Amino acid sequence: MQLNDIISDAQDQDRGRDFDLLDPVTGKPTGITLRIAGPDSATQARARLQMVDDLAEMADVNGRVSAVDREKARLNTLARCVLGWDVKEDGQPVPFSQANVVRFLKAALWVQQQVDGFASDRAAFRGRA
């Protein structure tokens, strides 16, 4: 591997990969697909930097951030890693927006865990577009 390979890989991760959300019990596809940026992408780097800014803004006069605000910052950071999706509600497509991604992630902990797991899995982003 050379430096140009590493740079190329990081740039490729910015295009994201499709991730099929799985039923947490059966492991079967749910029909929901999300496009997620890779862990070495500029998208995820910007999301992490924004989280630091968000936490600084949320801090009280003593520099403390409540658990509620930390959780909000974490979810917003994870949502920023989602680049697009195919999600339906009542049979209709849900418009892709930061607010809707956060709403989707709040639906269930298992959703967050799967999205976070995929977003941090370098192997999922290696060698295919």
Side-chain angles (χ1 to χ4, degrees):
M1 183 176 283
Q2 298 179 32
L3 176 58
N4 56 307
D5 296 322
I6 296 169
I7 293 169
S8 176
D9 180 59
Q11 291 171 340
D12 184 52
Q13 288 188 32
D14 238 355
R15 288 186 276 282
R17 296 286 188 275
D18 287 341
F19 169 68
D20 295 320
L21 193 71
L22 303 177
D23 182 284
V25 176
T26 66
K28 294 180 181 175
T30 61
I32 294 173
T33 302
L34 300 107
R35 186 89 170 159
I36 300 175
D40 299 312
S41 66
T43 299
Q44 282 209 32
R46 284 189 303 273
R48 288 188 300 272
L49 290 172
Q50 185 61 54
M51 181 179 67
V52 173
D53 287 346
D54 292 347
L55 289 169
E57 288 178 20
M58 294 172 175
D60 64 17
V61 295
N62 296 316
R64 290 183 226 170
V65 180
S66 72
V68 170
D69 284 341
R70 283 193 309 269
E71 178 65 1
K72 179 180 177 182
R74 183 188 72 81
L75 282 176
N76 282 329
T77 301
L78 185 56
R80 288 183 188 104
C81 299
V82 180
L83 304 173
W85 67 7
D86 179 12
V87 176
K88 293 183 177 52
E89 184 174 34
D90 295 327
Q92 299 298 315
V94 177
F96 180 75
S97 69
Q98 174 77 11
N100 279 340
V101 176
V102 169
R103 181 173 156 251
F104 172 74
L105 292 171
K106 286 181 176 180
L109 181 58
W110 63 268
V111 171
Q112 295 171 35
Q113 290 171 333
Q114 286 188 37
V115 171
D116 191 31
F118 186 80
S120 63
D121 182 7
R122 284 182 175 85
F125 293 85
R126 188 54 66 87
R128 56 186 167 93

